[in-house]
Amino acid sequence: MPEAALPATARRDARVACVHEWLTEWGGSEDAFRLILACFPGAQAFATIDHLSAADRQRLAAAGPIRTTFLQNAPAVARRFWNYLPVTALAVESHDVGDADIVVSSSHAFAKGVLTRADQFHVSYVYSPMRYAWDLHREYLRDYGLDRGAKGWLARLLFKRLRAWDRQTANNVDLFVAISRHVQQRIWRTYRRPSRLIYPAVRVERLRMETHKEDHYVTVSRLVNYKRIDLMLEAFRQMPSRKLVVIGDGPEMPALRRRCPPNVELRGRLPDEAVEAALQSARAFLFAAHEDFGISPVEAQACGTPVIAYGAGGSLETLRPLGGAAEAPTGLHFPEQTAASLAAAVQAFEDAGPVFDPHACREFAEGFSEARFQREFRDCVAQGWDAWKQDPRALESRLCDGPAADPLPFVRGWAQP
């Protein structure tokens, strides 16, 4: 929504504070935070710590100084932030947002726990309820070697306390905004609160479409257990005539190198230009994780590349599947998180022939543009601010669109952004 269309109270009088988690590496949530700050020029910006590289920090230059917490100068905090989880909630609660009328938290763990007063309107844009405390705590314990022994018991105790804190601090949020219908369901299950859906932005404006495709498949991912890159390697071991390029790094890299078949290339982390070139030239992008949204599949479609994705979570909303109700499919789903299911999907993709049009992929991806996100987010906050001032009790019934009465509405078909 253009600034001129915003209610006068939201445009001129309201002071805004934007609170993010921690700033160490640039990722999808940091890019969303950048756009949220751009929605509210002059807003105060807060983060638990700010240790971005000079290049990444420049992306937030327009926001001015980032106000941090007592953890900013803690020893090795940028590299070992997980060691400070027991005091991160306390750090977030130390943010002083007392000058703001509207507080916007950008949260995948702690940020929504910022303390606000009864006369402040708090909107929380939620990428996920705290995943390592809820859905994926066993996977995180295994990934970081905390699934046994005394450290394992201490980690489980910490997660138990974090779950209680996470649920309690949901009471301090006036309006939840979710990144996908899948996350709307998780917000409801975790906090018993409805939410508004606004898909995150994808940098489609900066990606170029390519119609010429080569003979390889590609995936771009952080190499951690739940991304299921191991599943892809096993699937391509069963398809020696197919080629797979894996871009990314992470704690799973040593194990993946040991089991990597000769037709799979592990390239590690690459510059943005090289990633874009790989996305443009691939026959299809592979996505095997059960994710809350998934930026990379949309980026692949922006490059004109169809997607083969595990049919669960956010993947059900980020492509138009072959065989679905809509025309011009942009990919297909595989039903089970197994190597055999993925291999069958790759074969189905090959059998489908030229049905996947790069132009259709690009058109679908453009529905997730940055301009669309900023318009919807400004509109949501402005509407929420006015509704909250009129009657806070009616706010959610007026603005929220999920969860629907159907407990799994998104499995009925793809959701148009």
Side-chain angles (χ1 to χ4, degrees), residues 150-377:
K151 287 185 177 180
W153 285 108
L154 288 174
R156 288 181 172 87
L157 178 60
L158 171 63
F159 286 170
K160 178 179 175 63
R161 292 180 175 177
L162 286 178
R163 284 192 291 270
W165 179 88
D166 189 36
R167 184 167 280 162
Q168 184 273 325
T169 54
N171 295 325
N172 201 34
V173 176
D174 297 297
L175 176 63
F176 279 106
V177 182
I179 66 168
S180 67
R181 297 194 184 281
H182 177 63
V183 170
Q184 284 188 304
Q185 295 294 332
R186 296 188 61 226
I187 290 172
W188 176 258
R189 187 183 67 239
T190 306
Y191 308 134
R192 285 297 185 261
R193 295 281 299 279
S195 56
R196 175 79 166 258
L197 171 65
I198 299 179
Y199 289 114
V202 180
R203 51 180 188 143
V204 294
E205 298 90 345
R206 288 171 279 170
L207 294 169
R208 295 178 296 105
M209 185 188 71
E210 175 58 64
T211 58
H212 173 72
K213 303 300 177 183
E214 299 177 6
D215 65 346
H216 66 273
Y217 293 79
V218 70
T219 190
V220 181
S221 174
R222 178 162 165 74
L223 304 185
V224 293
N225 182 271
Y226 81 92
K227 298 289 190 178
R228 299 310 312 270
I229 306 301
D230 60 322
L231 181 155
M232 297 184 193
L233 267 58
E234 185 56 37
F236 275 76
R237 191 185 306 278
Q238 301 171 20
M239 301 181 291
S241 63
R242 311 285 184 204
K243 298 179 182 179
L244 172 64
V245 173
V246 178
I247 300 173
D249 203 354
E252 287 286 296
M253 177 64 91
L256 294 174
R257 287 198 185 281
R258 289 193 296 269
R259 62 195 304 181
C260 185
N263 58 327
V264 176
E265 183 180 354
L266 300 176
R267 292 190 180 176
R269 182 173 298 191
L270 297 179
D272 289 348
E273 297 78 8
V275 173
E276 181 178 354
L279 291 177
Q280 291 168 334
S281 61
R283 291 182 62 78
F285 181 91
L286 303 187
F287 195 70
H290 187 159
E291 279 281 18
D292 299 312
F293 179 75
I295 295 287
S296 295
V298 182
E299 291 182 334
Q301 290 170 88
C303 292
T305 300
V307 174
I308 302 173
Y310 175 47
S315 296
L316 293 169
E317 305 172 58
T318 54
L319 63 89
R320 283 197 300 247
L322 180 68
E327 298 179 356
T330 66
L332 54 85
H333 293 123
F334 57 96
E336 298 177 356
Q337 214 172 21
T338 64
S341 186
L342 173 57
V346 171
Q347 186 60 53
F349 174 84
E350 294 288 344
D351 293 343
V355 68
F356 301 103
D357 182 1
H359 295 89
C361 293
R362 175 72 188 193
E363 171 270 325
F364 180 80
E366 286 175 348
F368 296 90
S369 70
E370 292 184 353
R372 184 274 318 165
F373 172 83
Q374 290 184 290
R375 180 179 65 253
E376 291 184 3
F377 199 84

Side-chain angles (χ1 to χ4, degrees), residues 96-158:
D96 183 2
V97 295
D99 292 338
D101 301 301
I102 299 173
V103 176
V104 179
S105 57
S106 165
S107 183
H108 58 72
F110 292 93
K112 75 164 186 38
V114 60
L115 295 180
T116 57
R117 301 187 308 268
D119 62 343
Q120 293 175 302
F121 176 50
H122 182 185
V123 181
S124 186
Y125 190 54
V126 176
Y127 310 100
S128 169
M130 195 180 294
R131 297 190 70 171
Y132 42 82
W134 296 100
D135 299 60
L136 294 179
H137 70 281
R138 291 182 179 85
E139 287 85 347
Y140 276 90
L141 288 171
R142 285 197 298 269
D143 283 348
Y144 290 92
L146 297 173
D147 54 339
R148 60 179 63 87
K151 287 185 177 180
W153 285 108
L154 288 174
R156 288 181 172 87
L157 178 60
L158 171 63

